[in-house]
Amino acid sequence: MSELTISRRGLLAGSALLLASTALPTIGMAQTPKKGGRLIVAADSEPRNLNPAIVASNGVFFISSKVVETLAEASFDGKDGLEPRLALSWEGAADGLSVTFKLRDGVKWHDGKPFTSADVAFSALQIWKPLQNLGRTVFKDLAAVDTPDDLTAVFKFAKPTPFQLIRNALPALTSVVPKHVYENGKIEENPANNAPVGTGPFKFAEYKAGQYYRLARNDHYWGKDEPYLDEIVYQVLPDRTSAAAALEAEEIQLAAFSAVPLADLDRISKMPGLKVVTKGYEGLTYQLVVEINHRRKELADLKVRQAIAHAIDKDFVVRTIFLGYAATATGPVPKNDPQFYTADVPTYPFDVAKANEMLDEAGYKRADDGKRFALKLLPAPYFNETKQFGDYLRQALAAIGIDAEIVNNDSAAHIKAVYTDHAFDLAVGPPVFRGDPAISTTILVQSGIPDGVPFSNQGGYKNADLDALIAKASETLDTAARTELYKGFQRQVAADLPLINVAEWSFISVARDTVGNIATNPRWAVSNWADTFLES
């Protein structure tokens, strides 16, 4: 497709053609998949690296999961909440020292070469373990991957590794890339990181900075009759307020990840031809947390941290900032996780008087101007809600005599300031819970994390008992015992407050009624969309 055809004018003309006849609402009606069509999607960011094997993040998955596939995907009704992708089955040894994967036959890379167990072994040993932001923890004890034949990969671990953990990690941490593309040269500098080659239902076609990403149908996909779409175009709309207007004008057909501001949802839901979908994010729970730099003398005092927790009105935050599309948090595991969550943890009800009393007891009396001490507060710039909560937190802290200066940065500067330079006192962070505390949660409070690792404990917090619990859970093979350890983990975090969990939220999709098969799995927005289709 030429640049002229795919220009913004072409995008608008194409979408108008595709949506010339507005369908009646289809909620609750059976839909028969149809072939063909271009799906135009809102994208609010442009990832610098599109290789999900290196950067396991939703911003990358949103685009690349259609191109590069994992061993398994999350499922609403599959065994253990999983559905096969490149692996057909997975079985853990009783001693925790190996996991055997049986791989799908007849799969080809987009360049025509066959997919084999050698690709899985290369991805695991050369990328997931040493390079991936999350895999470095989960696969730290992976010693070897045996490949007795092209369709079998046996992961060998140097220490007992819970099969529950590996199983829970499959959807997010096992993106497989082609060995023949990456085996020569430095992996981090490979051009395929920005033009990925995969096995997925769509091929990476082109990217125009500030304009769009285009994916084209893979005619040799292993899924029978899939994909249904001819193309997916991600139209770059960095201003989230423009997504609603683009949907109403039929310039785009889908806005995922709450690209339409929450404040617009009520109005949008009443518009003919549009549907609001709340499903499809159950496996992508975001957590609103207050990150704390424990190098600050005042913040190293538990009473001060408890006072800050009492000063935050979580119900108000959920009601006012998230407009009810969230839940209050009790600790580091979200309420919607059926495996690990426990409500049996210390809590900190909203109580400004008690917060002030605790600060007095801690020795931080108000000065003549009413202030106790000043802090530097860095709200994460990724979502409207994190920025709005930063403004709220500044006011909440002012009510207890803490003067918070807000420092706003762009994404790159924020990550550097918080996770490399430690140039913050408090930060507002939105980490993601990915189905198992060992994948992306324990790293938020565990000590000894190297500088520069995003969404990790860079606040200098150290707790030997908590570190020991985390280490024990990482090696406990019995599922029930491991689950109980993580309930103890939640209790310890809530008691000592290395960070403060405020709320947890999912996202909303808004789409034209012509888009079929939305929210078909708990990670739908970052899954492969092989079965997504357009009715016209």
Side-chain angles (χ1 to χ4, degrees):
M1 185 172 288
S2 68
E3 182 175 346
L4 176 62
T5 308
I6 200 69
S7 66
R8 177 172 171 81
R9 179 175 294 177
L11 278 172
L12 303 188
S15 60
L17 179 63
L18 287 169
L19 299 165
S21 60
T22 302
L24 293 173
T26 56
I27 296 174
M29 298 172 59
Q31 296 174 295
T32 302
K34 297 181 180 180
K35 287 225 172 191
R38 173 197 294 160
L39 177 65
I40 304 176
V41 185
D44 68 350
S45 65
E46 298 174 78
R48 296 182 181 180
N49 187 326
L50 285 174
N51 184 347
I54 295 177
V55 184
S57 76
N58 290 337
V60 176
F61 293 150
F62 187 40
I63 298 169
S64 296
S65 59
K66 289 71 182 161
V67 178
V68 179
E69 294 187 295
T70 55
L71 295 176
E73 184 53 273
S75 169
F76 285 124
D77 50 19
K79 182 184 177 184
D80 298 318
L82 294 172
E83 176 185 348
R85 282 290 189 264
L86 291 177
L88 293 174
S89 66
W90 38 92
E91 184 176 351
D95 61 7
L97 293 175
S98 67
V99 178
T100 300
F101 293 93
K102 294 296 183 180
L103 306 177
R104 190 179 294 276
D105 195 9
V107 177
K108 292 188 180 296
W109 294 103
H110 293 156
D111 60 11
K113 296 186 183 298
F115 158 77
T116 73
S117 56
D119 299 305
V120 175
F122 178 85
S123 297
L125 292 171
Q126 303 302 320
I127 303 182
W128 306 344
K129 177 181 177 177
L131 300 178
Q132 191 188 88
N133 55 327
L134 300 177
R136 282 182 289 196
T137 299
V138 173
F139 296 105
K140 62 183 175 59
D141 294 320
L142 182 64
V145 178
D146 291 347
T147 54
D149 58 62
D150 284 350
L151 298 178
T152 304
V154 183
F155 285 33
K156 298 290 187 71
F157 295 91
K159 296 179 180 178
T161 300
F163 180 53
Q164 181 189 37
L165 168 60
I166 299 303
R167 194 178 61 210
N168 289 340
L170 294 180
L173 274 60
T174 63
S175 297
V176 183
V177 297
K179 177 182 177 183
H180 65 274
V181 170
Y182 279 93
E183 62 185 338
N184 296 317
K186 196 171 183 179
I187 290 172
E188 301 96 309
E189 298 174 358
N190 195 299
N193 291 334
N194 292 309
V197 176
T199 59
F202 297 93
K203 297 181 177 182
F204 186 84
E206 63 178 323
Y207 164 58
K208 295 292 181 183
Q211 298 181 48
Y212 62 85
Y213 297 87
R214 183 170 68 87
L215 310 181
R217 187 180 195 275
N218 175 14
D219 292 325
H220 304 288
Y221 184 55
W222 55 261
K224 184 180 179 181
D225 298 326
E226 292 177 337
Y228 298 121
L229 296 168
D230 288 333
E231 290 185 321
I232 301 174
V233 174
Y234 294 85
Q235 185 174 334
V236 177
L237 298 171
D239 180 4
R240 285 182 167 244
T241 59
S242 62
L247 278 165
E248 293 176 57
E250 302 187 7
E251 296 175 8
I252 64 173
Q253 296 131 300
L254 173 66
F257 280 111
S258 297
V260 173
L262 298 179
D264 290 337
L265 287 180
D266 184 59
R267 178 181 60 81
I268 286 287
S269 68
K270 297 179 175 68
M271 297 198 62
L274 291 175
K275 55 186 175 183
V276 175
V277 182
T278 58
K279 286 185 64 179
Y281 297 96
E282 291 81 356
L284 303 173
T285 302
Y286 276 67
Q287 299 172 285
L288 183 71
V289 304
V290 179
E291 297 172 290
I292 299 170
N293 193 337
H294 293 255
R295 300 172 185 85
R296 251 317 269 269
K297 177 176 68 74
E298 296 91 340
L299 298 177
D301 189 324
L302 176 58
K303 276 197 172 181
V304 172
R305 302 196 298 274
Q306 291 172 330
I308 293 173
H310 279 297
I312 298 171
D313 187 345
K314 295 180 181 180
D315 289 326
F316 176 86
V317 170
V318 166
R319 190 173 61 251
T320 305
I321 294 178
F322 290 96
L323 302 181
Y325 291 98
T328 58
T330 58
V333 173
K335 295 174 180 175
N336 68 355
D337 181 81
Q339 287 187 84
F340 300 104
Y341 175 74
T342 178
D344 181 21
V345 299
T347 58
Y348 304 88
F350 176 56
D351 191 332
V352 173
K354 185 171 184 178
N356 276 306
E357 180 182 329
M358 294 181 78
L359 288 172
D360 287 340
E361 291 173 357
Y364 298 102
K365 304 289 186 180
R366 290 180 183 265
D368 291 342
D369 61 0
K371 297 176 182 178
R372 303 178 191 273
F373 52 85
L375 296 175
K376 186 182 292 186
L377 170 61
L378 278 64
Y382 318 119
F383 304 110
N384 291 335
E385 291 76 22
T386 53
K387 291 181 281 189
Q388 290 170 9
F389 177 72
D391 291 331
Y392 163 79
L393 183 57
R394 180 183 61 80
Q395 297 174 40
L397 293 172
I400 59 173
I402 298 176
D403 183 20
E405 175 197 359
I406 289 184
V407 179
N408 290 309
N409 291 310
D410 62 20
S411 297
H414 178 82
I415 287 176
K416 184 175 185 296
V418 175
Y419 302 107
T420 299
D421 298 340
H422 310 143
F424 74 104
D425 295 316
L426 299 176
V428 179
V432 184
F433 184 80
R434 299 186 184 276
D436 193 294
I439 295 176
S440 56
T441 302
T442 56
I443 195 174
L444 299 172
V445 298
Q446 185 178 3
S447 68
I449 306 298
D451 290 352
V453 178
F455 304 110
S456 70
N457 173 19
Q458 295 299 330
Y461 174 76
K462 295 179 181 179
N463 183 322
D465 290 339
L466 188 58
D467 285 344
L469 187 155
I470 291 169
K472 184 176 180 181
S474 72
E475 298 176 0
T476 297
L477 303 183
D478 181 80
T479 297
R482 184 171 181 266
T483 300
E484 283 304 311
L485 283 170
Y486 281 124
K487 290 181 178 179
F489 163 77
Q490 293 168 73
R491 284 188 283 269
Q492 285 199 34
V493 171
D496 206 34
L497 294 178
L499 47 73
I500 300 171
N501 288 86
V502 178
E504 47 214 35
W505 83 98
S506 225
F507 291 96
I508 310 292
S509 297
V510 182
R512 305 296 310 180
D513 280 340
T514 48
V515 185
N517 279 345
I518 292 178
T520 51
N521 71 63
R523 299 176 71 254
W524 180 78
V526 295
S527 63
N528 67 17
W529 294 6
D531 63 346
T532 301
F533 66 95
L534 290 171
E535 287 192 327
S536 60

